[in-house]
Amino acid sequence: MQVVSQNRSFGGEQTVYSHQSETCGCEMTFAVYLPPQAHNGPVPVLWYLSGLTCTHENAMTKGGFQEAAADFGVAVIFPDTSPRGTDVADDDAYDLGQGAGFYVNATRDPWRAHFRMYDYIVNELRDIALKNMPVQDCHGITGHSMGGHGALTIAIRNADMFGSLSAFAPIAHPTQSDWGRKQLSSYLGDDESSWAEHDSTLLLEEYGWKGDLLIDQGANDQFLDLLKPEALANMMAKRRQPGQIRIQQGYDHSYFFVNSFARDHVAWHAERLS
Amino acid sequence: MQVVSQNRSFGGEQTVYSHQSETCGCEMTFAVYLPPQAHNGPVPVLWYLSGLTCTHENAMTKGGFQEAAADFGVAVIFPDTSPRGTDVADDDAYDLGQGAGFYVNATRDPWRAHFRMYDYIVNELRDIALKNMPVQDCHGITGHSMGGHGALTIAIRNADMFGSLSAFAPIAHPTQSDWGRKQLSSYLGDDESSWAEHDSTLLLEEYGWKGDLLIDQGANDQFLDLLKPEALANMMAKRRQPGQIRIQQGYDHSYFFVNSFARDHVAWHAERLS
């Protein structure tokens, strides 16, 4: 692992690392914020998965998670959103290929050689964090848009690994959205039965979530038709899933929205991980 | 004035405007954050002046001022750092020309046609804010690096306009620094007597500041030799200037540093402007 950059932030350290990923077969970059409490011993860790077009950097610089993470003594890991590099398959569209890994393990060419973000997060990056950083094996997960989809699907399928779960404007029902059908068919093929385990509304229907959920969604989000929060809200109510969906008046899909509720989410996770 | 973008942020509105500037003779862009309290009547305003290479956008997205501004009911204005455009003079160096206005009124060619950031901030943009936004004629000013220089020099020279003053890692003694001598000679000419009114250490010596000062400076700042905080610290002590210089252990020159202390500065100004 190589240190790409390191900056003091709210008394802790914001570090960017690069490493050769066995899972993705390429060099990967991720960021970790360690709060000042990490000097005194391992701290719980919150995973933040980013949305389409993002790298590890967007939320690290614009999300505003560090202040609350320092207040509550939680580490935050910001993975990249896909494998990268000239040897890695890509597509001209912003919503497929590099920057758009969708947190699945691709099974179709040309994607399957590198696009294994599901395994990368759940296994490789978790192991790296536990071996190299002062973090407890005690994880919360959140994310924005495609990253909200990643957080919900990864946590529900790995409930033993995650103690808390939230999302910002998640792609909530990708099997019924143009943000989903295109990517799932490209990465997984046309057999839609293989898609269900990557759809948080369907996963919630089948498994529920062991704890309570926090979902924030801007009422003025320009992508509401693609995100389909109504499917998730319907399923939560139908399944009597504890938690809350907050429709936030006036907010759009930007990092100004994420930033405005970052503290709420860090506090939510800290309370449930402690 | 045209609205370039508008995003809800911490219950308020983060807006970017463009307008044809009479002072600079070109189209200028600036950002304004209005806290939710502005719905109930005019609020005090904090000016944030940015550093070399920045536009209005860097601090708006990475500074983290909105949360505290919403908590304290303060507006924040983020001006650009220079005139811009293909008709505007420029230089290949990052620290001269566009992105590097240094908050002076240039008197030398090729700069004097457009580079009038001092008048732009003090007169034109103040008038625009007072006429078009729910802000009181009650101003604080801060800034980072070149913008810290701008804040200190503009406030000390216009003490009737500003009620509070702070800075993050300001260029504190530009007449004796390569961040200063190059720009002041280019914009104002080689007669160094014209430079003194753009050097906060010299201005402080002559006029002092009517209130107390807050200066934050990272101990690991990679530009300490250019910033010369020791000159300002010396002058503050020598002149018995009320205020504090805080040397912050481990912090560098980045926005991670600014972000970490943004709340302190907003609170400082809010207390003095109320």
Side-chain angles (χ1 to χ4, degrees), chain B residues 124-135:
Chain B
E124 185 173 2
L125 201 48
R126 178 178 66 158
D127 287 349
I128 286 174
L130 292 175
K131 278 183 193 150
N132 296 282
M133 289 156 208
V135 297

Side-chain angles (χ1 to χ4, degrees), chain B residues 233-254:
Chain B
N234 176 288
M235 189 56 69
M236 280 179 68
K238 188 174 158 189
R239 211 186 186 287
R240 319 298 192 243
Q241 168 64 48
Q244 50 189 297
I245 295 195
R246 308 191 302 189
I247 307 298
Q248 302 284 8
Q249 185 177 13
Y251 286 89
D252 57 28
H253 199 64
S254 71

Side-chain angles (χ1 to χ4, degrees), chain B:
Chain B
M1 278 209 310
Q2 304 218 300
V3 173
V4 175
S5 66
Q6 188 164 59
N7 302 89
R8 182 69 55 93
S9 169
F10 291 99
E13 295 294 337
Q14 179 61 66
T15 309
V16 176
Y17 295 98
S18 68
H19 70 113
Q20 191 62 33
S21 165
E22 284 186 31
T23 308
C24 296
C26 65
E27 187 173 275
M28 294 290 285
T29 305
F30 66 97
V32 180
Y33 178 70
L34 289 179
Q37 293 87 340
H39 289 296
N40 303 325
V43 293
V45 55
L46 173 60
W47 295 74
Y48 178 94
L49 305 186
S50 290
L52 290 165
T53 76
C54 291
T55 69
H56 67 281
E57 192 181 6
N58 306 64
M60 174 184 85
T61 56
K62 300 197 290 187
F65 286 91
Q66 291 89 354
E67 184 170 9
D71 288 346
F72 289 99
V74 173
V76 187
I77 300 182
F78 305 90
D80 202 348
T81 57
S82 79
R84 307 260 178 196
T86 51
D87 297 338
V88 173
D90 202 2
D91 189 275
D92 287 340
Y94 75 95
D95 59 357
L96 192 68
Q98 296 187 34
F102 248 76
Y103 304 102
V104 304
N105 295 326
T107 56
R108 305 278 288 193
D109 286 327
W111 310 109
R112 63 180 173 176
H114 298 284
F115 282 74
R116 303 181 59 77
M117 288 303 292
Y118 181 90
D119 276 354
Y120 174 68
I121 304 283
V122 172
N123 296 313
E124 185 173 2
L125 201 48
R126 178 178 66 158
D127 287 349
I128 286 174
L130 292 175
K131 278 183 193 150
N132 296 282
M133 289 156 208
V135 297
Q136 300 168 9
D137 195 2
C138 172
H139 309 257
I141 190 165
T142 188
H144 175 226
S145 196
M146 176 183 76
H149 147 78
L152 290 164
T153 55
I154 284 176
I156 295 172
R157 293 175 60 193
N158 297 274
D160 55 334
M161 175 174 165
F162 293 98
S164 56
L165 173 58
S166 74
F168 298 83
I171 298 176
H173 199 20
T175 62
Q176 301 301 323
S177 168
D178 288 341
W179 272 356
R181 296 187 64 82
K182 171 183 178 177
Q183 293 83 1
L184 295 172
S185 65
S186 299
Y187 296 144
L188 304 176
D190 291 332
D191 176 4
E192 296 192 21
S193 67
S194 68
W195 300 1
E197 61 184 10
H198 298 289
D199 183 304
S200 53
T201 296
L202 298 179
L203 285 169
L204 203 65
E205 180 172 32
E206 185 162 357
Y207 302 107
W209 167 248
K210 62 179 183 180
D212 52 351
L213 276 176
L214 172 62
I215 312 287
D216 271 315
Q217 172 63 59
N220 287 10
D221 192 313
Q222 55 270 51
F223 302 113
L224 279 167
D225 288 348
L226 293 160
L227 300 169
K228 302 200 181 299
E230 63 278 10
L232 189 62
N234 176 288
M235 189 56 69
M236 280 179 68
K238 188 174 158 189
R239 211 186 186 287
R240 319 298 192 243
Q241 168 64 48
Q244 50 189 297
I245 295 195
R246 308 191 302 189
I247 307 298
Q248 302 284 8
Q249 185 177 13
Y251 286 89
D252 57 28
H253 199 64
S254 71
Y255 277 97
F256 290 108
F257 158 66
V258 174
N259 195 335
S260 296
F261 301 101
R263 174 174 289 274
D264 286 1
H265 285 248
V266 173
W268 171 277
H269 287 274
E271 197 173 299
R272 282 151 187 78
L273 296 174
S274 65

Side-chain angles (χ1 to χ4, degrees), chain A residues 7-8 10-11 249 251-252 260, chain B residues 7-8 10-11 251-252 260:
Chain A
N7 303 88
R8 182 70 51 97
F10 291 99
Q249 185 177 14
Y251 287 89
D252 58 29
S260 295
Chain B
N7 302 89
R8 182 69 55 93
F10 291 99
Y251 286 89
D252 57 28
S260 296

